[in-house]
C-alpha cells in the first residue's frame, strides 16, 4: 500500500503527464496545469515533484534532441511508467471507495 | 507547445539574459544533471512571458522562479553516493595509517615521543602564558583603572616610579574632569601588629582611600563595598585573618582592633571582611585600613603632607569613553601648576597592563614580564617545529618503502589530491594521538611545574582550551604532514612501478637542511640556558659592597620601635650577636629620595635626587660597609647626629677634592661631611647604585639589621627570638636573612632559568630522537653494502666512519649557523642588566661540544650495531 503513496500535487502532475502523452516536458506540464486548474505552478515545485516521482519509479524521462530554441538546451520528456499507472489506478480506486462509503445521510448539497 | 516563430528572436533574447544575475545564480546552485533541461524550461517560459507581457515583467517572473527553485531536490550538495565514498576513504586512510604505524614501529614511537613531548611543552607554555595574561584582569571595571606614575630626572636618566605626592589623589578627582574616582594606596605592604585583648597577630596589608572596594573588585564576604571604608576608624580584614583572630566569621563586624605599625598606635572597628586576593592579583593584603590613618602616621614621623614628598600610589578610574592620553596631559599641566617644577612628571598607565608591561627605561615603556611571555612562546614554537621536522624527515626518508602503495594507488586512479589527503590525515591522526599522550604528560608534570613557577595553573576544560588544543594539534599535524604529503604525492607513477625511483637528491638535501635547523635550535637554547644560569649565579654572588652573609633583618615594631635604644643595647649583649642596629632601607628596594640638596660648587642647573638613608649608630659596621675616606658615625662624638656620610657615587657627582670637613645643605640644614663609603647596593642589581647620603636619624628607621657571629646560627636565633618575645609582649619576630630576600628579587630570572633548562633538554632530546631514526634508516638501507664490505675485509671502524661522516658534517654545519645566532640573542638579553657577565668563548664551545657529543653518541650507537652485524644474515637471501 505504501508503495503507491501519491501526494495531491504529485497526483495532478502525474495525471497531466498522462494527458500530454508524448509532449510532456517542463513548460507544457506547467502551462497545462495552470490552464486546467487555474493555479500557478512554480518551476521549482514542478521540477522537484517530477524528479521525486522519477526516483520513485512513477515517471520515466527521455532527453529530446537539442534544438536551436531554448538557448540550445534539450527538452526532457516525461512518460508515465506502468508503476505510475498502477499508482494512479490505486489512488482512484481508494478515492472511489471512500466516495462510495459515504452514507446517504451525508448530504453533499 | 513553444510557438515556432519565437525561435527567430531566440538569439536576441538570449543575449539579453547573458549576464542576468538570477540565471547565473541558478547555474551555480543547480545540480549538474538537472541544470541543462531546467534552464531550457526557464528560457522557454521567459520567451513566452516576454512576448506576452514585456521583458521587464518576464525578468521579474524568471527571478521569482529561480528563487523558488532553491529547494532541496534541486540544489546540488552532498549526495548520498559521494558521502559513502568519503566515509570509505576516511576509513581506508585510518586503517592504512594504523598499518603504517604498526609496520614501522620505531619511527612511529620516535614520532610519538617527539610530538607528544613537543605538544606537552607547548601546552604548558600556553597555560603559563594564559595565567600571566589573567593577572590583574579580573576587576569588573578594569579597563578604566589607571595608575599615576612619575618620571623623575636622576643622574642615570629618567626614573619611572609609582610613588606620587600625598595630596594628589584628592586634588585630581576634584580638579580634573573625566575622572570618576581616585584613591591613594600605601606603597609597600605594611606589616603591622593587631592586638585583640591579650592576643597579638602580625598581618601584612595596605592603607587605602574609601573608594577602594568600589574601584577594584575584591569581593566582600561581609560589609557593603560603598561604605566599608567610609570612616577613618574603619578596618577591613581578610577571611583568613578573621578566622585566626576570632576563630570564626560570626560577630566579627563591630569588634575593635588595636594596631601598631612600627611604634605608631591606633585602633579601629571592623566593618568588613573580604576574600583574600588570589594568585591572579598583584595586590596582596590581609587588612585594609582607612588611608587617613597612614597620613597621620606620615605626619608623626616625617612631617606635613606636601606636593614634594612622593609616597603613596595613586589609582584613578576614568569615566566611560575618556582618553587616558589627554587626561595624562591635563594631569601633567595640573601638577606643574601646583609645584612650579618639571620634575616629577606625572602620567597615566593602565593598571591591567602594569604587570606585564611594568618596565620603564628613561621614561619609555620597554617591556617587563611580557618579554618572558614572548620568549616562552618562541621556545614553544621552536620545540614544536623541531618535533615536526622529525616526522617530515622520517616520512620522506622512508618514502621508498611506500612507493609501491603510492604507485598502485595512482595507477588505479587516485588523484594527487586524495594522496595528499591520505598523508595529511596520517600525520593529523598521529598528532591527535600525541595530543592525548601530551595531556596525560601535562597532568603528570603540572604539580612540579607549579612549584617551579610559583603558580597554580591546571587544565581547566572550557571551550577556549579545547579550541586552542585542537588548533595546536591540527596545526602540528598539517605542519608535520605537509612536506611529505606534497613530496610523495608528486612522484611519477610509471617510474615508481618500474622501480626506477630513487630517493631524490633534493629530498636528501632538504632533510639535511631540516636537521641543521633542529640542531641550530638546540645549540641556541643550550647557550641561552648557560648564559641565563651564569648571569643569575653572578648576580647572587656579586660583591654588593656589604656583606649579606649571616645578616638578619626584621621590622622595627612594637616596643622595639618605641624603645629602640634599650632594645639594641640589650640585644647587643646576647650571645652570638655581633652587631645590631637600625636602618631605613631593607636592602632590596629604594626607600626615600631627597632632592633639596646643596653644596659649594654645585652647578645651578643640576637637578638630582639622592637616596636618603637614615641610620642608627653602628649600622655601617653591622652591614660591613668599608669607608673610603674619613670615619664612620660614632657615639664618641657628641654632635654626629648633625653630620653626614656620602657614598662614592655621590662624591663623584659632587666633584669635591677633599670632601671631609666640607659642608652640605640638606633640606636647609648645614651638615658636615665626615666620611665617604664605598658604593654598596641598596636595591636590586637591575639598578645602578644611586648617589646617597646617610645621616643618624633613628626615628626614621624601619628595619633592624643584625649580624650573627660565625657558629650556630640556629641557636643564636632561637635565643634571640625568646629575648624579642619577652621584650615585645609575646610577639615573635619576623626574621629574614638578607640574602634570602635578595635572592627573592631574582625570582623571575630563576624561574626562567629553571624552565628554560628543561625546555632546552626537551629540544635536544627530540632532535636526537630524529637523528637516531635517520641513522637507523640509513644503516638499514645500506646493510647489504655494509655486509659486502665486511666480507671483502673492511673493518668495523672503517664502516662506522663511512656511516657517520655524513651526519657529523651536517652537525658541524649546524654549529656554524648556531653559534653566531646564539651570540646575538644572549648578548641582547644581557644588555637589559645593569651588572652583567661577559660572554665567554667556552659558553659557545661548551654548548656546541655537548650537542656534538650527544649527537655523536646517538649516531655511533646505531652505526656500531649496524657494523657489527654478521654479513651472512644480510646476504643469504640473494
Amino acid at each position: 500500500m505504501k508503495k503507491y503513496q501519491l501526494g495531491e500535487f504529485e497526483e495532478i502532475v502525474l495525471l497531466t503527464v498522462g494527458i500530454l502523452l508524448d509532449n510532456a516536458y517542463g513548460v507544457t506540464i506547467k502551462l497545462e496545469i495552470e490552464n486546467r486548474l487555474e493555479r500557478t505552478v512554480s518551476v521549482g515545485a514542478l521540477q522537484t515533484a517530477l524528479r521525486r516521482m522519477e526516483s520513485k519509479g512513477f515517471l520515466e524521462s527521455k532527453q529530446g534532441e537539442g534544438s536551436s530554441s531554448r538557448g540550445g538546451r534539450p527538452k526532457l520528456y516525461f512518460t508515465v511508467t506502468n508503476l505510475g499507472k498502477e499508482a494512479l489506478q490505486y489512488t482512484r480506486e481508494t478515492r472511489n471507495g471512500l466516495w462510495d462509503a459515504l452514507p446517504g445521510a451525508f448530504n453533499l448539497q | 507547445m513553444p510557438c515556432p516563430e519565437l525561435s527567430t528572436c531566440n538569439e536576441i533574447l538570449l543575449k539579453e539574459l547573458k549576464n542576468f544575475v538570477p540565471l547565473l545564480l541558478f547555474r551555480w546552485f543547480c545540480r549538474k544533471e538537472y541544470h541543462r533541461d531546467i534552464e531550457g524550461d526557464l528560457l522557454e517560459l521567459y520567451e513566452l512571458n516576454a512576448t506576452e507581457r514585456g521583458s521587464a515583467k518576464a525578468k521579474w517572473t524568471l527571478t521569482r522562479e529561480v528563487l523558488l527553485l532553491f529547494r532541496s531536490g534541486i540544489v546540488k550538495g552532498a549526495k548520498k553516493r559521494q558521502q559513502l565514498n568519503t566515509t570509505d576513504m576516511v576509513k581506508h586512510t585510518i586503517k592504512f595509517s594504523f598499518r603504517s604505524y604498526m609496520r614501522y614501529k620505531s619511527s612511529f614511537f620516535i614520532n610519538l615521543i617527539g610530538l607528544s613531548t613537543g605538544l606537552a611543552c607547548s601546552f604548558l607554555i600556553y597555560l603559563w602564558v594564559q595565567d600571566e595574561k589573567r593577572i590583574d584582569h579580573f576587576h569588573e571595571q578594569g579597563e578604566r583603572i589607571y595608575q599615576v606614575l612619575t618620571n623623575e630626572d636622576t643622574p642615570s636618566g629618567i626614573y619611572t616610579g609609582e610613588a606620587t605626592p600625598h595630596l594628589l589623589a584628592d586634588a585630581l578627582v576634584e580638579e580634573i574632569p573625566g575622572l570618576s574616582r581616585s584613591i591613594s594606596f600605601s606603597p609597600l605592604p605594611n606589616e603591622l601588629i593587631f592586638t585583640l585583648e591579650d592576643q597579638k597577630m602580625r598581618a601584612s596589608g595596605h592603607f587605602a582611600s574609601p573608594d577602594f572596594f568600589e574601584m577594584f573588585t575584591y569581593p566582600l564576604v561581609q560589609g557593603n563595598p560603598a561604605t566599608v571604608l567610609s570612616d577613618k576608624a574603619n578596618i577591613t580584614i581578610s577571611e583568613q585573618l578573621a578566622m585566626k583572630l576570632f576563630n570564626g566569621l560570626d560577630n566579627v563586624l563591630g569588634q575593635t582592633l588595636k594596631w601598631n605599625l612600627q611604634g605608631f598606635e591606633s585602633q579601629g572597628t571592623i566593618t568588613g571582611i573580604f576574600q583574600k586576593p588570589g594568585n591572579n592579583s598583584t595586590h596582596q593584603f590581609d587588612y585594609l585600613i582607612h588611608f587617613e590613618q597612614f597620613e597621620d602616621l606620615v605626619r608623626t614621623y616625617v612631617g606635613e603632607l606636601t606636593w614634594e614628598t612622593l609616597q603613596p600610589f595613586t589609582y584613578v578610574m576614568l569615566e566611560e569613553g575618556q582618553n587616558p592620553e589627554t587626561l595624562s596631559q591635563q594631569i601633567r599641566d595640573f601638577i606643574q601648576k601646583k609645584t612650579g617644577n618639571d620634575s616629577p612628571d606625572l602620567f597615566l598607565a593602565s593598571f591591567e597592563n602594569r604587570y606585564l608591561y611594568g618596565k620603564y627605561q628613561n621614561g619609555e615603556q620597554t617591556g617587563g614580564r611580557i618579554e618572558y611571555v614572548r620568549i616562552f612562546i618562541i621556545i614553544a614554537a621552536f620545540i614544536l617545529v623541531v618535533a615536526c621536522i622529525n616526522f617530515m624527515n622520517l616520512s620522506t626518508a622512508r618514502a621508498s618503502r611506500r612507493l609501491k602503495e603510492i604507485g598502485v594507488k595512482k595507477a588505479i586512479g587516485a588523484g594527487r589530491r586524495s594522496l595528499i589527503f591520505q598523508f595529511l590525515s596520517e600525520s593529523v591522526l598521529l598528532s591527535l594521538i600525541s595530543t592525548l599522550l601530551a595531556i596525560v604528560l601535562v597532568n603528570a608534570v603540572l604539580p612540579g611545574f607549579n612549584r617551579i613557577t610559583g603558580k597554580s595553573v591546571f587544565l581547566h576544560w572550557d571551550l577556549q582550551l579545547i579550541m586552542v588544543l585542537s588548533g595546536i594539534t591540527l596545526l602540528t599535524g598539517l605542519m608535520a604532514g605537509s612536506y611529505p604529503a606534497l613530496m610523495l604525492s608528486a612522484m611519477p607513477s610509471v617510474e615508481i612501478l618500474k622501480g626506477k625511483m630513487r630517493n631524490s637528491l633534493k629530498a636528501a638535501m632538504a632533510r639535511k637542511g631540516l636537521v641543521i635547523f633542529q640542531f641550530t635550535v638546540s645549540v641556541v637554547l643550550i647557550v641561552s640556558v648557560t648564559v641565563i644560569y651564569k648571569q643569575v649565579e653572578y648576580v647572587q654572588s656579586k660583591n654588593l659592597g656589604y656583606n649579606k652573609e649571616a645578616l638578619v633583618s626584621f621590622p622595627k615594631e612594637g616596643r622595639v620601635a618605641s624603645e629602640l635604644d634599650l632594645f639594641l643595647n640589650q640585644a647587643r649583649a646576647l650571645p652570638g650577636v655581633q652587631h645590631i642596629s637600625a636602618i631605613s632601607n631593607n636592602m632590596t628596594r629604594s626607600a626615600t629620595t631627597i632632592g633639596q640638596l646643596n653644596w659649594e660648587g654645585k652647578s645651578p642647573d643640576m637637578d638630582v635626587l639622592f637616596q636618603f638613608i637614615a641610620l642608627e649608630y653602628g649600622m655601617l659596621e653591622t652591614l660591613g660597609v668599608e669607608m673610603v675616606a674619613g670615619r664612620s658615625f660614632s657615639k664618641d662624638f657628641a654632635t654626629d647626629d648633625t653630620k653626614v656620610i656620602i657614598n662614592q657615587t655621590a662624591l663623584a657627582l659632587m666633584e669635591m677634592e677633599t670632601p671631609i670637613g666640607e659642608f652640605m645643605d640638606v633640606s636647609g640644614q648645614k651638615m658636615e661631611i665626615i666620611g665617604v663609603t664605598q658604593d654598596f647596593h641598596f636595591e636590586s642589581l637591575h639598578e645602578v647604585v644611586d648617589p646617597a647620603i646617610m645621616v643618624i636619624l633613628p626615628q626614621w628607621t624601619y628595619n633592624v639589621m643584625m649580624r650573627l657571629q660565625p657558629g650556630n646560627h640556629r641557636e643564636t636565633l632561637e635565643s634571640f627570638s625568646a629575648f624579642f618575645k619577652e621584650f615585645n609582649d609575646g610577639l615573635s619576630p619576623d626574621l629574614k636573612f638578607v640574602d634570602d630576600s635578595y635572592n627573592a628579587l631574582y625570582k623571575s630570572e630563576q624561574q626562567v632559568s629553571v624552565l628554560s633548562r628543561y625546555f632546552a633538554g626537551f629540544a635536544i632530546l627530540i632532535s636526537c630522537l630524529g637523528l637516531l631514526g635517520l641513522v637507523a634508516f640509513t644503516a638499514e638501507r645500506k646493510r647489504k653494502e655494509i655486509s659486502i664490505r665486511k666480507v671483502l675485509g673492511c673493518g668495523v671502524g672503517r664502516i662506522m666512519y663511512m656511516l657517520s661522516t655524513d651526519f657529523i658534517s651536517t652537525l658541524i654545519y649546524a654549529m656554524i649557523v648556531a653559534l653566531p645566532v646564539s651570540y646575538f640573542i644572549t648578548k641582547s638579553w644581557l644588555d637589559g642588566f645593569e651588572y652583567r657577565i661577559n660572554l665567554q668563548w667556552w659558553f659557545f664551545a661548551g654548548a656546541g661540544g655537548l650537542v656534538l657529543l650527544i649527537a655523536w653518541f646517538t649516531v655511533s650507537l646505531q652505526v656500531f650495531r649496524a657494523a657489527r652485524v654478521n654479513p651472512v644474515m644480510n646476504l643469504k637471501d640473494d
Side-chain angles (χ1 to χ4, degrees):
Chain A
M1 180 194 154
K2 178 93 183 177
K3 71 176 183 180
Y4 294 132
Q5 193 136 30
L6 275 180
E8 185 260 355
F9 187 64
E10 285 177 329
E11 189 184 343
I12 292 171
V13 173
L14 204 56
L15 283 169
T16 315
V17 173
I19 293 168
L20 290 167
L21 206 60
D22 287 339
N23 193 27
Y25 70 97
V27 177
T28 49
I29 302 170
K30 177 174 146 73
L31 293 177
E32 192 71 27
I33 299 176
E34 283 177 345
N35 285 334
R36 282 183 188 268
L37 301 186
E38 292 180 354
R39 63 191 256 188
T40 50
V41 176
S42 78
V43 178
L46 177 64
Q47 288 290 345
T48 344
L50 286 171
R51 308 293 168 173
R52 190 162 57 234
M53 286 193 289
E54 190 182 358
S55 70
K56 281 183 188 169
F58 298 155
L59 284 176
E60 242 170 16
S61 66
K62 197 182 76 194
Q63 197 132 55
E65 293 101 62
S67 69
S68 63
S69 143
R70 298 165 51 99
R73 310 275 182 256
K75 294 171 184 169
L76 194 67
Y77 288 102
F78 289 91
T79 46
V80 183
T81 61
N82 286 338
L83 188 68
K85 286 174 187 161
E86 278 173 35
L88 281 174
Q89 193 64 34
Y90 171 80
T91 316
R92 188 175 186 169
E93 276 164 14
T94 47
R95 292 290 143 82
N96 284 345
L98 288 171
W99 278 103
D100 293 345
L102 276 179
F106 181 78
N107 196 345
L108 261 177
Q109 270 70 40
Chain B
M1 280 281 285
C3 314
E5 68 268 22
L6 280 178
S7 56
T8 48
C9 46
N10 189 22
E11 304 245 322
I12 306 162
L13 286 166
L14 260 189
K15 226 170 247 169
E16 237 177 83
L17 290 176
K18 197 177 166 214
N19 280 321
F20 189 52
V21 178
L23 207 57
L24 296 177
L25 185 73
F26 169 72
R27 278 179 205 156
W28 173 72
F29 74 66
C30 181
R31 289 193 187 186
K32 272 276 165 330
E33 63 266 38
Y34 295 172
H35 149 239
R36 281 163 62 81
D37 49 273
I38 298 183
E39 188 178 319
D41 284 0
L42 287 174
L43 289 176
E44 196 178 325
L45 283 169
Y46 175 79
E47 288 168 18
L48 218 63
N49 282 328
T51 42
E52 272 175 23
R53 301 192 291 166
S55 65
K57 270 253 168 69
K59 271 186 184 163
W60 170 239
T61 321
L62 179 58
T63 312
R64 209 180 57 119
E65 295 285 11
V66 167
L67 290 180
L68 287 172
L69 270 165
F70 194 82
R71 49 176 80 206
S72 65
I74 311 280
V75 175
K76 67 177 155 199
K79 277 165 292 172
K80 223 175 175 185
R81 204 157 40 98
Q82 280 188 336
Q83 271 175 349
L84 267 174
N85 197 10
T86 322
T87 34
D88 279 352
M89 275 306 290
V90 170
K91 264 190 219 160
H92 164 93
T93 308
I94 292 176
K95 191 187 275 175
F96 265 63
S97 302
F98 275 108
R99 278 186 193 164
S100 92
Y101 297 158
M102 286 306 109
R103 187 163 310 153
Y104 310 118
K105 285 199 186 70
S106 63
S107 36
F108 171 66
F109 281 113
I110 286 173
N111 283 328
L112 187 67
I113 295 170
L115 279 179
S116 51
T117 8
L119 284 168
C121 287
S122 41
F123 291 167
L124 282 177
I125 289 174
Y126 167 77
L127 290 175
W128 185 81
V129 167
Q130 279 305 308
D131 194 72
E132 287 283 291
K133 287 194 168 165
R134 260 199 290 272
I135 284 181
D136 283 341
H137 275 70
F138 59 92
H139 299 289
E140 273 162 25
Q141 293 154 313
E143 71 268 26
R144 281 161 57 207
I145 303 177
Y146 282 77
Q147 184 175 6
V148 181
L149 299 183
T150 54
N151 276 337
E152 290 175 72
D153 293 325
T154 69
S156 51
I158 299 171
Y159 172 77
T160 303
E162 301 178 287
T164 55
H166 267 288
L167 302 174
L168 185 70
D170 289 342
L172 278 184
V173 75
E174 276 167 28
E175 307 213 13
I176 309 272
L179 298 180
S180 59
R181 294 177 200 285
S182 160
I183 64 159
S184 300
F185 193 66
S186 61
L188 296 174
N190 293 296
E191 291 236 325
L192 54 69
I193 298 152
F194 285 110
T195 315
L196 181 74
E197 287 147 18
D198 54 351
Q199 187 187 2
K200 278 181 195 281
M201 187 86 57
R202 178 181 286 110
S204 153
H206 284 277
F207 294 84
S209 302
D211 275 355
F212 183 83
F213 284 104
E214 299 253 63
M215 184 185 281
F216 296 102
T217 312
Y218 294 106
L220 284 169
V221 183
Q222 290 178 26
N224 173 5
T227 56
V228 77
L229 275 177
S230 56
D231 192 81
K232 188 177 168 184
N234 288 358
I235 295 180
T236 56
I237 57 174
S238 69
E239 272 178 296
Q240 280 87 337
L241 186 61
M243 289 299 287
K244 272 194 234 162
L245 280 167
F246 301 99
N247 294 321
L249 295 181
D250 302 329
N251 306 321
V252 173
L253 295 195
Q255 296 269 12
T256 305
L257 273 184
K258 283 190 191 142
W259 55 269
N260 179 326
L261 177 61
Q262 297 178 346
F264 182 86
E265 290 192 8
S266 183
Q267 63 177 28
T269 319
I270 300 174
T271 48
I273 300 175
F274 53 82
Q275 285 173 16
K276 192 173 159 64
N279 269 352
N280 55 353
S281 166
T282 46
H283 292 149
Q284 292 293 332
F285 46 87
D286 267 316
Y287 68 82
L288 281 177
I289 297 179
H290 197 281
F291 194 74
E292 277 177 32
Q293 298 275 5
F294 188 72
E295 293 177 339
D296 283 354
L297 188 142
V298 173
R299 280 196 200 95
T300 313
Y301 289 109
V302 184
E304 258 322 292
L305 307 178
T306 64
W307 282 99
E308 276 76 28
T309 45
L310 308 179
Q311 199 168 24
F313 294 179
T314 302
Y315 297 107
V316 296
M317 183 179 265
L318 273 49
E319 276 171 9
E320 211 87 55
Q322 288 287 343
N323 179 0
E325 299 287 324
T326 39
L327 283 175
S328 280
Q329 192 54 47
Q330 283 177 27
I331 292 173
R332 195 169 290 146
D333 295 344
F334 167 75
I335 188 80
Q336 281 183 13
K337 231 175 13 196
K338 278 280 175 201
T339 60
N341 200 336
D342 277 355
S343 179
D345 184 19
L346 303 185
F347 64 99
L348 295 179
S350 158
F351 171 72
E352 286 186 335
N353 293 341
R354 281 284 296 151
Y355 177 72
L356 284 181
Y357 301 88
K359 199 164 133 197
Y360 288 83
Q361 255 172 5
N362 229 349
E364 298 289 322
Q365 213 289 316
T366 54
R369 276 187 83 89
I370 189 73
E371 289 164 28
Y372 292 137
V373 170
R374 289 194 191 121
I375 288 177
F376 277 124
I377 291 177
I378 292 171
I379 289 180
F382 271 129
I383 289 183
L384 262 190
V385 170
V386 165
C388 288
I389 287 177
N390 279 355
F391 183 88
M392 294 183 195
N393 278 348
L394 292 179
S395 340
T396 54
R398 278 162 206 262
S400 55
R401 290 176 163 180
R402 301 190 66 173
L403 285 181
K404 284 266 155 59
E405 179 194 332
I406 298 164
V408 170
K409 276 188 171 158
K410 278 197 155 185
I412 58 174
R416 188 166 176 208
R417 209 182 267 204
S418 58
L419 282 174
I420 291 179
F421 175 75
Q422 187 202 334
F423 287 115
L424 280 184
S425 349
E426 204 174 307
S427 61
V428 170
L429 194 68
L430 181 70
S431 94
L432 198 71
I433 300 172
S434 309
T435 300
L436 297 179
L437 194 61
I439 289 170
V440 176
L441 276 178
V442 167
N443 266 321
V445 300
L446 261 184
F449 181 78
N450 282 335
R451 208 170 42 245
I452 295 170
T453 56
K455 288 193 178 297
S456 49
V457 294
F458 58 100
L459 281 171
H460 175 68
W461 290 105
D462 55 5
L463 189 67
Q464 195 197 1
L465 182 73
I466 292 169
M467 297 275 283
V468 169
L469 292 202
S470 26
I472 295 179
T473 308
L474 196 67
L475 191 77
T476 310
L478 293 180
M479 190 156 68
S482 57
Y483 176 64
L486 292 174
M487 198 202 104
L488 294 178
S489 63
M491 293 190 171
S493 53
V494 179
E495 285 176 32
I496 295 175
L497 288 176
K498 278 185 180 162
K500 273 188 181 169
M501 245 353 244
R502 288 177 305 273
N503 261 350
S504 74
L505 195 64
K506 228 167 84 185
M509 287 296 285
R511 271 202 295 284
K512 215 173 253 182
L514 290 174
V515 171
I516 291 177
F517 178 81
Q518 279 185 313
F519 279 88
T520 305
V521 171
S522 302
V523 173
V524 169
L525 279 176
I526 288 179
V527 172
S528 312
V529 168
T530 318
V531 171
I532 292 174
Y533 176 75
K534 281 278 155 197
Q535 170 71 15
V536 172
E537 191 192 59
Y538 167 78
V539 162
Q540 280 163 6
S541 61
K542 186 179 182 293
N543 182 5
L544 299 171
Y546 68 93
N547 181 2
K548 66 180 158 67
E549 305 302 322
L551 189 61
V552 177
S553 157
F554 54 93
K556 193 182 89 173
E557 57 194 356
R559 210 177 136 215
V560 175
S562 47
E563 291 171 64
L564 183 64
D565 253 354
L566 182 69
F567 173 78
L568 291 180
N569 281 334
Q570 289 187 6
R572 256 177 217 124
L574 291 174
V577 176
Q578 196 170 12
H579 294 286
I580 184 163
S581 184
I583 187 172
S584 58
N585 290 48
N586 64 1
M587 309 314 278
T588 53
R589 276 179 87 140
S590 104
T592 322
T593 51
I594 184 166
Q596 297 125 303
L597 289 174
N598 231 326
W599 59 88
E600 222 178 274
K602 183 188 181 189
S603 82
D605 52 334
M606 186 186 234
D607 184 21
V608 296
L609 288 170
F610 277 50
Q611 292 286 330
F612 184 84
I613 302 175
L615 304 173
E616 169 64 300
Y617 288 103
M619 191 65 222
L620 293 176
E621 290 73 16
T622 307
L623 286 175
V625 174
E626 281 172 30
M627 302 301 295
V628 181
R631 59 176 179 85
S632 173
F633 293 117
S634 164
K635 274 190 175 163
D636 302 339
F637 298 84
T639 56
D640 261 8
D641 50 355
T642 60
K643 306 284 163 66
V644 61
I645 290 178
I646 59 176
N647 69 358
Q648 271 180 306
T649 309
L651 179 64
L653 196 78
M654 291 160 73
E655 292 172 337
M656 286 182 181
E657 292 276 314
T658 49
I660 311 302
E662 294 281 344
F663 282 86
M664 66 189 294
D665 188 340
V666 182
S667 304
Q669 197 185 349
K670 266 200 146 19
M671 297 182 112
E672 186 191 344
I673 300 172
I674 57 165
V676 179
T677 67
Q678 71 175 68
D679 279 341
F680 59 98
H681 288 270
F682 32 77
E683 290 176 75
S684 88
L685 276 190
H686 284 295
E687 321 287 339
V688 287
V689 177
D690 283 334
I693 60 170
M694 285 150 265
V695 295
I696 293 292
L697 202 60
Q699 62 271 31
W700 272 45
T701 58
Y702 296 114
N703 277 295
V704 182
M705 300 250 182
M706 172 167 68
R707 168 84 56 201
L708 305 181
Q709 264 165 12
N712 194 340
H713 289 165
R714 218 172 54 132
E715 216 167 78
T716 311
L717 289 182
E718 265 167 25
S719 67
F720 175 79
S721 290
F723 156 72
F724 186 97
K725 234 171 159 168
E726 196 192 312
F727 189 88
N728 224 346
D729 303 328
L731 185 79
S732 40
D734 181 23
L735 301 173
K736 283 195 184 92
F737 276 97
V738 170
D739 50 357
D740 289 344
S741 323
Y742 183 78
N743 289 345
L745 286 180
Y746 294 92
K747 217 170 74 191
S748 40
E749 276 85 0
Q750 271 169 334
Q751 287 171 0
V752 171
S753 166
V754 176
L755 278 185
S756 51
R757 223 175 302 163
Y758 281 110
F759 289 136
F762 283 127
I764 189 149
L765 172 83
I766 298 170
S767 308
C768 282
L769 271 177
L771 195 64
L772 187 78
L774 278 185
V775 175
F777 169 72
T778 313
E780 198 191 308
R781 273 208 343 169
K782 291 192 174 173
R783 66 183 201 276
K784 285 207 172 122
E785 181 189 335
I786 294 168
S787 304
I788 293 172
R789 277 174 193 268
K790 280 189 84 170
V791 170
L792 294 179
C794 189
V796 171
R798 184 75 204 159
I799 288 170
M800 282 181 71
Y801 174 78
M802 178 197 90
L803 283 174
S804 44
T805 29
D806 202 26
F807 289 104
I808 301 297
S809 69
T810 311
L811 291 175
I812 288 172
Y813 289 132
M815 299 302 140
I816 293 171
V817 182
L819 296 179
V821 173
S822 49
Y823 175 77
F824 285 115
I825 291 177
T826 48
K827 186 146 180 13
S828 67
W829 184 73
L830 282 177
D831 281 345
F833 289 87
E834 209 55 64
Y835 296 92
R836 54 181 176 252
I837 49 168
N838 291 319
L839 289 170
Q840 306 286 342
W841 64 269
W842 61 263
F843 293 168
F844 302 96
L850 182 71
V851 171
L852 272 181
L853 195 74
I854 296 174
W856 179 80
F857 186 70
T858 315
V859 171
S860 338
L861 216 66
Q862 275 295 328
V863 166
F864 185 65
R865 223 179 61 181
R868 281 288 302 275
V869 82
N870 185 354
V872 177
M873 303 295 284
N874 290 329
L875 293 175
K876 66 178 179 194
D877 302 344
D878 298 308

